[in-house]
Structures are given as structure tokens and as C-alpha cells.
Amino acid sequence: EVNSVPLTAIEFPYAAGEYPIVFGGTEADFTPVALLGVRNNENLFLGPDGAWQARYIPAFVRRYPFVFSHAEAQFVLCVDEEFPGFNREGRGQPLFTADGATSPYVDGILHFLQDYQVNFNASQRFCERLRELDLLEPMTAQINVEAGPPLMLAGFMAVSRDKLKALPAESLAELAKSDELELIYMHLQSMRNFDLLRERLGHQAEPHTIN
């Protein structure tokens, strides 16, 4: 029941072929997100059986029901006890060994989340670079469907092609050297996936427009 999830920059090559990648939040605090639907509480990538219908599943989804939390200048591994797979009857993967140490399963989760945090921090530096260069602008997606009024999706930002083209050569060279220019192009290319979202709605519709 979510129409977007956070995405780290390292995931762009895998996600850009399936999801629109945009930037959510405010102009002062934003992060890359993968759009999963065009209406509130709608994930178009879940099938009737609950299976994910895409080749790449964002790491934010894959890490569930585990998450890191900050506490006294350190990270604490937390688990959502409301997750249906969580139990205290000894079924499934144990969290601890008989002597109280973390199990190999938990060690794997910790390694995954540590990598995720590193990638998240790198993504925030990428976002800071976009902010410094003033490349983002608010955008609205309109998806026309055959039955009913057009669907409007707002509240996100995208890189302005005009602002990108207007950058001085020195700034473009710095973006290219840091591979951030490649990330920008993947983001822009992924905007074509709004058509895939429209198709997943199950309606015959006219091509969407981006304002």
C-alpha cells in the first residue's frame, strides 16, 4: 500500500529499466525514489498472489522486516514484530544461536543493511550535488486513461534538462568524473517508465504527458 520507495544511487542501473526514478521530499531534504503506482496506497508491481512483478526489487523492500535505527551514536538492528513471518515458536531462521550469539542469518542481514547504509549515504551526497547545482524542479505527471478523468501525480522533483544543458563545462566534467552525470541520465531515461505504470493500470490509455 505504498506508491513509492526510497532508492539508492547504486540501484539506478537495475531500477531504471522498470520504474520511474524521481526525487521525493522537499527542496531542502529529498531522496531518490522508485515510483510504484500513480495513486495513493497503490503498488502496481504486486500480483494477486502478493508476488513482486518486476525483475528488480528495491533494496528498501528486500530489507524488510529489518531496519537500522540510530541510538546513542550507533546503529541498532530492529525487526518489525508485526511481520507475519516473525514468531517465537522456533520456526524458520533463528536470530540467535544456542549460546546467545547472532545467527549466520542475522549476520547476513547485518552485512546487507551495512551495505545499504553506505549506499544511502552516497546517495545523499549525490542529492547534495544536485542541490548545489540547482538542477531539480517540481514536476507533475498526467496519465490519461480511457475511462474517467486523467490521473495526476504530483509532489516530486526531476532534473531539468534545460538547467543541465546550461551548466558550465567545468561542472559537467566534474559530474562525469564522479559518475554522477551517468546517474542523471539514467534518471531522465527512467521517466519513460510512466508509460509502463499506465499499462499496469489495466486500461487502454493515451500516452502520458509530463509538465
Side-chain angles (χ1 to χ4, degrees):
E1 296 182 352
V2 294
N3 67 353
S4 67
V5 292
L7 203 66
T8 60
I10 199 173
E11 297 179 90
F12 278 31
Y14 311 100
E18 301 189 86
Y19 312 98
I21 299 174
V22 298
F23 295 86
T26 66
E27 293 186 8
D29 184 17
F30 57 86
T31 190
V33 299
L35 289 180
L36 308 177
V38 296
R39 294 177 289 216
N40 291 333
N41 304 320
E42 173 185 66
N43 182 352
L44 296 173
F45 289 86
L46 286 182
D49 60 351
W52 200 272
Q53 295 183 329
R55 289 167 297 180
Y56 181 74
I57 303 176
F60 184 86
V61 177
R62 286 184 281 124
R63 68 177 185 165
Y64 184 80
F66 298 96
V67 65
F68 269 151
S69 175
H70 286 92
E72 297 181 357
Q74 65 180 352
F75 286 108
V76 176
L77 180 63
C78 302
V79 58
D80 181 5
E81 295 185 58
E82 299 300 318
F83 174 59
F86 183 82
N87 72 93
R88 301 179 185 276
E89 287 75 45
R91 294 179 285 110
Q93 295 282 359
L95 301 182
F96 301 97
T97 62
D99 57 2
T102 56
S103 68
Y105 173 71
V106 169
D107 290 339
I109 294 296
L110 283 169
H111 179 72
F112 178 82
L113 289 178
Q114 287 166 351
D115 285 347
Y116 180 87
Q117 191 63 41
V118 170
N119 295 330
F120 176 82
N121 293 339
S123 299
Q124 293 306 107
R125 291 193 293 271
F126 171 55
C127 289
E128 181 60 31
R129 184 66 172 152
L130 297 180
R131 185 185 298 108
E132 292 173 355
L133 296 174
D134 191 28
L135 288 178
L136 294 181
E137 63 182 9
M139 300 195 73
T140 300
Q142 175 180 303
I143 299 182
N144 299 316
V145 295
E146 187 177 64
L151 300 176
M152 304 296 295
L153 184 63
F156 66 91
M157 296 177 290
V159 169
S160 165
R161 291 180 181 271
D162 291 338
K163 290 183 177 181
L164 181 62
K165 293 176 182 178
L167 285 179
E170 181 180 350
S171 296
L172 287 172
E174 291 175 354
L175 288 173
K177 185 176 181 180
S178 65
D179 293 329
E180 292 171 321
L181 186 59
E182 183 179 8
L183 294 175
I184 291 173
Y185 283 135
M186 283 188 283
H187 149 63
L188 292 173
Q189 183 70 16
S190 77
M191 302 292 276
R192 296 185 178 184
N193 292 329
F194 275 103
D195 285 329
L196 299 181
L197 290 183
R198 173 180 55 83
E199 293 173 4
R200 287 182 175 273
L201 285 171
H203 299 287
Q204 292 183 353
E206 300 174 3
H208 77 276
T209 58
I210 297 290
N211 300 318

